Amino acid sequence: MATGSRVGSRFGRYELRRLLGVGGMGEVYEAFDSTKKRTVALKLLDVGLARDPEFVERFRRESRSAARLQEPHVIPVHDWGEIDGVLYIDMRLVSGHDLKDHIRSRGRLAPAEAVSVIEQIASALDAAHEAGLVHRDIKPANILITRNTFAYLVDFGIAYSRSDAQLTGTGSAIGSFAYMAPERFVEEKKTPDPAIDIYSLACVLYECLTGAVPFPANSFPVAIHSHQMLPPPRPSASEPGLAAFDAVVARGMAKDPRARYRTAGELAAAARTAFERVDHGVAAANVAREAPTYARPTPPVDVSRPHPTRRSPARTHPSAPLPIPPAYPPARHGGGRAMPILVGALGTSVVVLVAVIVMWWLWSPDSDPTPVATPVSTPTAVASSPTVTSSAAAVRTTTASPTPTTTKDSAPPLTGSVGGTDGQGFLGGPRCNATNPAYAIGRTTGSRLVVCRTGAGRYYYKGARDSDNLGIELDDPVPTGDGGFTVTNPQDGTRYVISPSSLTVVQNGKTVASETMIEFASR
């Protein structure tokens, strides 16, 4: 059946108006049922597969399986049968798009939206499992999202019923390997267990939260090794704020099926609990930011750069088979984590002194109503003396003459667009800190990259490789005048040349890697 060859033709009582999609077993059309006067989704078995009894039986079983499930998140089946030697299934037409396209166009989902989708699909799965059905192909492409974020589970074409004969050949693996449980890569048991669907649902949860599949792989052997041997990925590796979901994904993707959640509903409930922890943590952080804070002073940092605690660890750079330095060499920030007792005591004295000054200023009848910066000595040795700024919200230590920090509001608009990004970079990948707008964003044939601005003439670079999400961070990219940048690794002199057309890695004057730029935007 040639793709789209039936559009505009009739199929029995159906007028085929639009091709909606092509799957492993056939095509789905928007069709008008001239008998019942309604528009439906009509799935037709590919004529090339109709000669295979295994595929024919699997197609018939899809219609029977879906028709038995009276669950709101399973698309209702109106009718099924055979016309002119072609099997068909008539389903409700849902206006929306699949979760795969949803993530591809918008990037990762907000935690609240991700948990909502998982809860809805878990409800459909539990109903299927209770009816003796195992879906075996849970993936974003089989989850439809409507305008109001109502989710449907579709395509039971490879579902397995405990009452049916085994249809899978020995050793074969059906489904999408990016979401397949490790036991699926060996000879399948006579009766597939619902645990394989729970594993796949945990994979979908991870992708919803991060925008990336759990184990990126471009070959079947790599996928097998990843699912069978590598530990479950942690959402917090992509976004530290998602740490509460790490344990949920880890249990849902446990290698041993017995260690996973017993039902899809249990996984969804655990995800909901994790979200509440994340949500409450954000709320508490917001309250802390709004309330006056009187904390022990810490050694001043260069505020023209992102704070080191907001940076992800340096890893392997896309395209570069070279050792990568840490984003912040130890000498630059010193021992800020554990202050000596003497420094702590002196710091407390500084806080007391600041409080006295503030109180004197507030009660002074001749004081200027405009807050001023009051110099205060510090017990730590720095190049310039810090200042303390009085405000209604907080008292904080900073440098005397910081480089002005560029905010998102002051940044010029981006020229060009890159899918799955916003003004801070990729929604599920390399991303600038909250107050550092992206001045260049690029997607190459194998990588994602962003250059962030922290102040006048000050930038930092982040890159991530698509195949395994490994990345790098380097300071001080230099603008090249065409919207691109050049950044040098200070340890070995390797240069990364970013332009609207390519990402090139140069070592010792020789190009060691080059990737074509697919999408590029700059300010």
Side-chain angles (χ1 to χ4, degrees), residues 357-388:
I357 294 172
V358 170
M359 292 299 295
W360 173 85
W361 177 80
L362 290 174
W363 285 99
S364 174
D366 299 324
S367 62
D368 189 330
T370 304
V372 295
T374 305
V376 179
S377 61
T378 177
T380 57
V382 294
S384 59
S385 299
T387 64
V388 175

Side-chain angles (χ1 to χ4, degrees), residues 30-330:
E30 177 184 317
F32 180 73
D33 184 341
S34 58
T35 301
K36 298 185 179 180
K37 306 300 181 183
R38 64 186 177 189
T39 302
V40 301
L42 192 71
K43 184 169 185 177
L44 309 180
L45 181 65
D46 191 292
V47 294
L49 300 175
R51 294 186 292 269
D52 187 334
E54 178 179 324
F55 280 96
V56 171
E57 178 59 24
R58 187 171 294 131
F59 183 84
R60 287 175 173 162
R61 191 178 65 246
E62 174 183 351
S63 60
R64 293 197 300 268
S65 301
R68 290 203 300 263
L69 296 177
Q70 302 300 313
E71 208 286 328
H73 298 285
V74 175
I75 292 183
V77 172
H78 299 144
D79 196 8
W80 69 90
E82 181 178 339
I83 297 176
D84 298 330
V86 178
L87 294 168
Y88 73 92
I89 180 170
D90 176 336
M91 301 170 286
R92 175 190 292 172
L93 179 65
V94 174
S95 178
H97 50 276
D98 65 53
L99 181 59
K100 179 180 179 181
D101 287 339
H102 191 72
I103 295 174
R104 181 182 298 166
S105 62
R106 293 179 45 191
R108 65 185 182 185
L109 277 58
E113 186 179 7
V115 171
S116 175
V117 169
I118 295 302
E119 287 175 326
Q120 295 175 70
I121 300 306
S123 179
L125 271 180
D126 281 346
H129 294 163
E130 289 173 6
L133 297 168
V134 177
H135 190 283
R136 295 202 303 177
D137 198 21
I138 303 299
K139 59 184 179 181
N142 280 339
I143 297 173
L144 297 185
I145 306 294
T146 66
R147 186 174 301 174
N148 60 351
T149 321
F150 192 90
Y152 289 97
L153 178 61
V154 302
D155 202 351
F156 279 83
I158 63 172
Y160 179 92
S161 172
R162 288 193 288 268
S163 63
D164 289 344
Q166 172 71 14
L167 298 178
T168 304
T170 300
S172 65
I174 297 178
S176 298
F177 58 73
Y179 310 92
M180 287 173 62
E183 61 267 30
R184 296 285 308 281
F185 294 105
V186 297
E187 183 175 348
E188 296 194 46
K189 298 181 293 184
K190 192 70 175 179
T191 305
D193 192 274
I196 66 175
D197 284 347
I198 293 169
Y199 182 96
S200 299
L201 187 62
C203 292
V204 173
L205 171 62
Y206 176 85
E207 185 167 355
C208 286
L209 293 169
T210 67
V213 297
F215 299 119
N218 54 13
S219 68
F220 202 68
V222 172
I224 295 175
H225 172 79
S226 299
H227 284 284
Q228 291 186 331
M229 305 302 295
L230 298 184
R234 295 177 296 106
S236 64
S238 173
E239 173 55 53
L242 299 175
F245 288 97
D246 288 353
V248 181
V249 172
R251 183 175 175 186
M253 293 181 62
K255 307 301 181 189
D256 185 349
R258 296 168 297 181
R260 297 171 199 156
Y261 295 101
R262 293 173 299 175
T263 66
E266 283 191 5
L267 187 155
R272 171 61 62 182
T273 300
F275 165 69
E276 291 172 353
R277 290 174 57 193
V278 170
D279 194 41
H280 291 165
V282 171
N286 290 337
V287 171
R289 281 196 295 270
E290 294 170 2
T293 302
Y294 303 95
R296 176 185 301 173
T298 56
V301 298
D302 183 356
V303 298
S304 67
R305 300 184 183 278
H307 195 283
T309 60
R310 298 287 296 178
R311 302 286 293 274
S312 57
R315 293 175 287 177
T316 307
H317 183 269
S319 308
L322 307 167
I324 300 303
Y328 285 88

